[in-house]
Amino acid sequence: MSTFLQPIEHELGPLLARIAGGDRPAFGRLYDLTSNRLFAVVRRVLRRPELAEEALQEAFVRVWQKANLYDPAQARPMAWLAAIARNQAIDLRRRSSERIGEELDENSAGGDGQSAVLPEADLALELKRLRDCLSRLPENRQDMVLLAYYQGWSREELAAQFSRPVTTVKTLLRRSLITLRECLDGRT
Amino acid sequence: MAEPKDLEGLAAEYVLGTLDRGEREDVEQAIPADSELAGLVAGWERRLIPLALALEPVTAPPHLRDKVMAAISGSAAAPDNVIAIERRANRWRGAAVASWALAAALAGVILFRPPEVLEGSRYVAVLQSEGPGPAFIASVDLASGTISVRPVSATTPSGKSYELWALGAGRDKPQSLGVIAANFRIPTETLGKVDSAALGDTLFAVSLEPEGGSPTGQPTGPVMFTGKLVATE
């Protein structure tokens, strides 16, 4: 699988440049290359299929509108696209009535990172580093971070799940993120 | 760290996804004008994105592709009131342009940048009506000699066409630049003599015309949008 990811990444930058100029075939190609990876992202956040589809559609419309703002110096194309998709999905989740009650059945934060593809080399390295840093957090805080990142859980939802006050969850999250940053940025 | 000033924590939680709806909207609205916040958010996106990229791909339902392609042709796109224009090479100036564009869009007309910044080769005009409604982005690339006009969220009423006009800058009457279609491009020769200063003074307008464009060579329908150019690069 890793062999097909790399060429895609190289094709995405030029595609985004063409899309910024209003090139619809380029946009269609971008959709074909990336929709399965972006759908994976939004489907984690939105379990209801119709909401996941709505989020993916919104994400691509946003890509069409914002392609001129893509800055290769800031992010790789796939990272930029995935961030847009995640943000659309989380916004939609907040707007919708979707709540943890209907999805607790299949949630296992620990299992989330394991259903991964074999990523391209530098991503694999970044991912390993991130996982290493995450693994230094106490276990329930790892779960909080992963549930939030993958499934878009709010502080309130985390508070309910972990039986802690919302303010405590906020404190724990921010502390965890600072710890994570220090680890990732090399000040361990 | 003091609670209200924890911009880093706010950016991190925004990216993590734990903010409530109101807080998320606050952050999203603040980003274009707040370069510090934008930088922090970008940093957190970069740190955490490997988790999202590691997910196993899931094939989207096949019918979705048609819906997405239809949405970008304008038929189903949600009206987007706020259009940010950003310089790629120069962040702070990008933010300045975005707020210009936003303020001007709210006023109904895009103001032009002072002439000295019209040195670059790319210019952009946001053609936007007041309130929620369709919008176009017109961009001029002097290097490649093209003007392209992109509907952002415009739906053309059936039996009608949008036509683009240039006004002012020495023209005694509106000059038709053509009917706006998908991926609409106009050679800059069409604009006549193009020098940077004159381009900055040109007012662009979009009118609603019978299908195929104005039969008289002058705008006959209502003028939907007007805008002037701002330099982007």
Side-chain angles (χ1 to χ4, degrees), chain B residues 23-52:
Chain B
E23 290 171 314
R24 284 186 65 78
E25 284 169 359
D26 289 347
V27 170
E28 281 158 10
Q29 277 169 20
I31 283 175
D34 186 336
S35 59
E36 187 187 359
L37 180 62
L40 290 169
V41 166
W44 278 103
E45 294 284 12
R46 213 168 19 243
R47 286 183 194 101
L48 298 180
I49 206 73
L51 290 172

Short mmCIF file of all heavy atoms in Angstrom, two decimals, chain B residues 23-52:
data_model
loop_
_atom_site.label_atom_id
_atom_site.label_comp_id
_atom_site.label_asym_id
_atom_site.label_seq_id
_atom_site.Cartn_x
_atom_site.Cartn_y
_atom_site.Cartn_z
N GLU B 23 -17.17 28.23 20.50
CA GLU B 23 -15.72 28.47 20.57
C GLU B 23 -15.07 28.18 19.22
O GLU B 23 -14.16 28.89 18.79
CB GLU B 23 -15.09 27.56 21.64
CG GLU B 23 -15.46 27.93 23.07
CD GLU B 23 -15.00 26.86 24.07
OE1 GLU B 23 -15.21 25.65 23.81
OE2 GLU B 23 -14.44 27.24 25.10
N ARG B 24 -15.51 27.11 18.56
CA ARG B 24 -14.95 26.79 17.24
C ARG B 24 -15.21 27.92 16.26
O ARG B 24 -14.33 28.32 15.50
CB ARG B 24 -15.55 25.49 16.69
CG ARG B 24 -14.99 24.24 17.33
CD ARG B 24 -15.50 22.99 16.65
NE ARG B 24 -15.04 22.86 15.28
CZ ARG B 24 -13.83 22.46 14.92
NH1 ARG B 24 -12.95 22.13 15.84
NH2 ARG B 24 -13.51 22.36 13.65
N GLU B 25 -16.44 28.44 16.28
CA GLU B 25 -16.77 29.53 15.37
C GLU B 25 -15.91 30.76 15.67
O GLU B 25 -15.45 31.44 14.75
CB GLU B 25 -18.26 29.87 15.46
CG GLU B 25 -19.12 28.84 14.74
CD GLU B 25 -20.61 28.98 15.01
OE1 GLU B 25 -21.00 29.88 15.80
OE2 GLU B 25 -21.38 28.19 14.47
N ASP B 26 -15.69 31.02 16.97
CA ASP B 26 -14.84 32.16 17.34
C ASP B 26 -13.44 32.01 16.74
O ASP B 26 -12.88 32.94 16.18
CB ASP B 26 -14.73 32.28 18.87
CG ASP B 26 -16.04 32.74 19.50
OD1 ASP B 26 -16.92 33.20 18.75
OD2 ASP B 26 -16.18 32.63 20.73
N VAL B 27 -12.88 30.81 16.90
CA VAL B 27 -11.53 30.57 16.40
C VAL B 27 -11.50 30.71 14.88
O VAL B 27 -10.64 31.39 14.31
CB VAL B 27 -11.02 29.17 16.82
CG1 VAL B 27 -9.71 28.83 16.10
CG2 VAL B 27 -10.81 29.11 18.33
N GLU B 28 -12.48 30.09 14.21
CA GLU B 28 -12.50 30.13 12.75
C GLU B 28 -12.63 31.55 12.22
O GLU B 28 -12.03 31.92 11.21
CB GLU B 28 -13.63 29.24 12.20
CG GLU B 28 -13.22 27.77 12.22
CD GLU B 28 -14.40 26.79 12.21
OE1 GLU B 28 -15.54 27.22 12.01
OE2 GLU B 28 -14.15 25.59 12.43
N GLN B 29 -13.39 32.36 12.93
CA GLN B 29 -13.55 33.75 12.48
C GLN B 29 -12.31 34.58 12.78
O GLN B 29 -12.01 35.54 12.07
CB GLN B 29 -14.78 34.38 13.15
CG GLN B 29 -16.06 34.02 12.40
CD GLN B 29 -17.32 34.40 13.16
OE1 GLN B 29 -17.29 35.25 14.04
NE2 GLN B 29 -18.42 33.75 12.83
N ALA B 30 -11.59 34.22 13.83
CA ALA B 30 -10.43 35.02 14.23
C ALA B 30 -9.20 34.72 13.39
O ALA B 30 -8.34 35.58 13.21
CB ALA B 30 -10.13 34.79 15.71
N ILE B 31 -9.12 33.50 12.86
CA ILE B 31 -7.89 33.07 12.18
C ILE B 31 -7.43 34.00 11.05
O ILE B 31 -6.26 34.38 11.02
CB ILE B 31 -8.04 31.60 11.68
CG1 ILE B 31 -7.89 30.64 12.86
CG2 ILE B 31 -7.01 31.28 10.60
CD1 ILE B 31 -8.13 29.19 12.51
N PRO B 32 -8.34 34.43 10.13
CA PRO B 32 -7.83 35.24 9.02
C PRO B 32 -7.16 36.53 9.45
O PRO B 32 -6.26 37.03 8.78
CB PRO B 32 -9.11 35.53 8.21
CG PRO B 32 -10.05 34.46 8.56
CD PRO B 32 -9.77 34.13 10.00
N ALA B 33 -7.59 37.09 10.58
CA ALA B 33 -7.05 38.39 10.98
C ALA B 33 -5.98 38.27 12.07
O ALA B 33 -5.32 39.24 12.39
CB ALA B 33 -8.19 39.29 11.47
N ASP B 34 -5.84 37.08 12.65
CA ASP B 34 -4.94 36.92 13.78
C ASP B 34 -3.81 35.96 13.39
O ASP B 34 -3.95 34.75 13.46
CB ASP B 34 -5.73 36.38 14.99
CG ASP B 34 -4.88 36.32 16.27
OD1 ASP B 34 -3.64 36.25 16.16
OD2 ASP B 34 -5.47 36.33 17.36
N SER B 35 -2.69 36.55 12.99
CA SER B 35 -1.62 35.70 12.45
C SER B 35 -1.00 34.81 13.54
O SER B 35 -0.53 33.72 13.25
CB SER B 35 -0.56 36.55 11.77
OG SER B 35 -0.02 37.46 12.70
N GLU B 36 -1.01 35.29 14.79
CA GLU B 36 -0.44 34.47 15.86
C GLU B 36 -1.29 33.20 16.05
O GLU B 36 -0.78 32.08 16.08
CB GLU B 36 -0.36 35.26 17.17
CG GLU B 36 0.39 34.48 18.25
CD GLU B 36 0.34 35.17 19.61
OE1 GLU B 36 -0.25 36.26 19.72
OE2 GLU B 36 0.89 34.59 20.57
N LEU B 37 -2.59 33.42 16.15
CA LEU B 37 -3.50 32.28 16.29
C LEU B 37 -3.40 31.36 15.08
O LEU B 37 -3.32 30.12 15.22
CB LEU B 37 -4.94 32.77 16.46
CG LEU B 37 -6.03 31.72 16.63
CD1 LEU B 37 -5.80 30.89 17.90
CD2 LEU B 37 -7.42 32.34 16.66
N ALA B 38 -3.36 31.94 13.89
CA ALA B 38 -3.26 31.14 12.67
C ALA B 38 -2.00 30.27 12.69
O ALA B 38 -2.02 29.10 12.31
CB ALA B 38 -3.28 32.04 11.44
N GLY B 39 -0.90 30.87 13.15
CA GLY B 39 0.36 30.13 13.22
C GLY B 39 0.30 28.99 14.22
O GLY B 39 0.80 27.89 13.96
N LEU B 40 -0.32 29.25 15.36
CA LEU B 40 -0.44 28.21 16.38
C LEU B 40 -1.31 27.05 15.88
O LEU B 40 -0.99 25.88 16.07
CB LEU B 40 -1.03 28.79 17.67
CG LEU B 40 -0.12 29.75 18.45
CD1 LEU B 40 -0.90 30.46 19.55
CD2 LEU B 40 1.07 28.99 19.04
N VAL B 41 -2.42 27.42 15.22
CA VAL B 41 -3.30 26.38 14.68
C VAL B 41 -2.55 25.55 13.64
O VAL B 41 -2.61 24.31 13.65
CB VAL B 41 -4.59 27.00 14.09
CG1 VAL B 41 -5.35 25.99 13.24
CG2 VAL B 41 -5.49 27.53 15.20
N ALA B 42 -1.82 26.23 12.76
CA ALA B 42 -1.06 25.50 11.73
C ALA B 42 -0.06 24.55 12.37
O ALA B 42 0.13 23.42 11.91
CB ALA B 42 -0.35 26.50 10.80
N GLY B 43 0.58 25.00 13.44
CA GLY B 43 1.54 24.16 14.15
C GLY B 43 0.90 22.91 14.72
O GLY B 43 1.45 21.80 14.62
N TRP B 44 -0.28 23.08 15.29
CA TRP B 44 -0.97 21.92 15.86
C TRP B 44 -1.51 20.99 14.79
O TRP B 44 -1.50 19.77 14.97
CB TRP B 44 -2.07 22.38 16.84
CG TRP B 44 -1.46 22.69 18.17
CD1 TRP B 44 -1.20 23.92 18.69
CD2 TRP B 44 -0.98 21.74 19.12
NE1 TRP B 44 -0.59 23.80 19.91
CE2 TRP B 44 -0.44 22.48 20.20
CE3 TRP B 44 -0.94 20.35 19.17
CZ2 TRP B 44 0.13 21.86 21.32
CZ3 TRP B 44 -0.38 19.74 20.29
CH2 TRP B 44 0.15 20.49 21.34
N GLU B 45 -1.97 21.56 13.68
CA GLU B 45 -2.38 20.70 12.56
C GLU B 45 -1.21 19.83 12.14
O GLU B 45 -1.35 18.63 11.91
CB GLU B 45 -2.86 21.53 11.36
CG GLU B 45 -4.14 22.33 11.57
CD GLU B 45 -5.41 21.48 11.54
OE1 GLU B 45 -5.33 20.23 11.59
OE2 GLU B 45 -6.50 22.07 11.51
N ARG B 46 -0.04 20.46 12.04
CA ARG B 46 1.15 19.73 11.60
C ARG B 46 1.52 18.63 12.58
O ARG B 46 1.90 17.54 12.20
CB ARG B 46 2.30 20.73 11.45
CG ARG B 46 3.26 20.38 10.35
CD ARG B 46 4.24 21.50 10.00
NE ARG B 46 4.41 22.54 10.97
CZ ARG B 46 4.09 23.83 10.76
NH1 ARG B 46 3.58 24.19 9.62
NH2 ARG B 46 4.30 24.73 11.68
N ARG B 47 1.42 18.92 13.87
CA ARG B 47 1.82 17.91 14.86
C ARG B 47 0.89 16.69 14.85
O ARG B 47 1.33 15.56 15.02
CB ARG B 47 1.81 18.52 16.26
CG ARG B 47 2.97 19.45 16.52
CD ARG B 47 2.96 19.98 17.96
NE ARG B 47 3.87 21.10 18.05
CZ ARG B 47 3.50 22.38 18.05
NH1 ARG B 47 2.22 22.71 18.03
NH2 ARG B 47 4.41 23.33 18.09
N LEU B 48 -0.40 16.96 14.71
CA LEU B 48 -1.37 15.87 14.93
C LEU B 48 -1.82 15.17 13.65
O LEU B 48 -2.35 14.06 13.70
CB LEU B 48 -2.59 16.40 15.68
CG LEU B 48 -2.31 16.97 17.08
CD1 LEU B 48 -3.61 17.47 17.72
CD2 LEU B 48 -1.67 15.91 17.98
N ILE B 49 -1.61 15.80 12.48
CA ILE B 49 -2.19 15.27 11.25
C ILE B 49 -1.72 13.84 10.90
O ILE B 49 -2.47 13.10 10.25
CB ILE B 49 -1.98 16.25 10.07
CG1 ILE B 49 -3.06 16.05 8.99
CG2 ILE B 49 -0.59 16.09 9.44
CD1 ILE B 49 -4.41 16.57 9.38
N PRO B 50 -0.52 13.42 11.33
CA PRO B 50 -0.15 12.03 11.00
C PRO B 50 -1.18 11.01 11.47
O PRO B 50 -1.38 9.98 10.82
CB PRO B 50 1.19 11.84 11.73
CG PRO B 50 1.78 13.20 11.79
CD PRO B 50 0.60 14.13 12.00
N LEU B 51 -1.88 11.31 12.56
CA LEU B 51 -2.92 10.38 13.02
C LEU B 51 -4.02 10.24 11.99
O LEU B 51 -4.50 9.13 11.71
CB LEU B 51 -3.52 10.89 14.34
CG LEU B 51 -2.65 10.83 15.59
CD1 LEU B 51 -3.35 11.54 16.75
CD2 LEU B 51 -2.34 9.38 15.97
N ALA B 52 -4.44 11.35 11.41
CA ALA B 52 -5.52 11.30 10.42
C ALA B 52 -5.05 10.64 9.12
O ALA B 52 -5.79 9.89 8.50
CB ALA B 52 -6.03 12.71 10.14
#
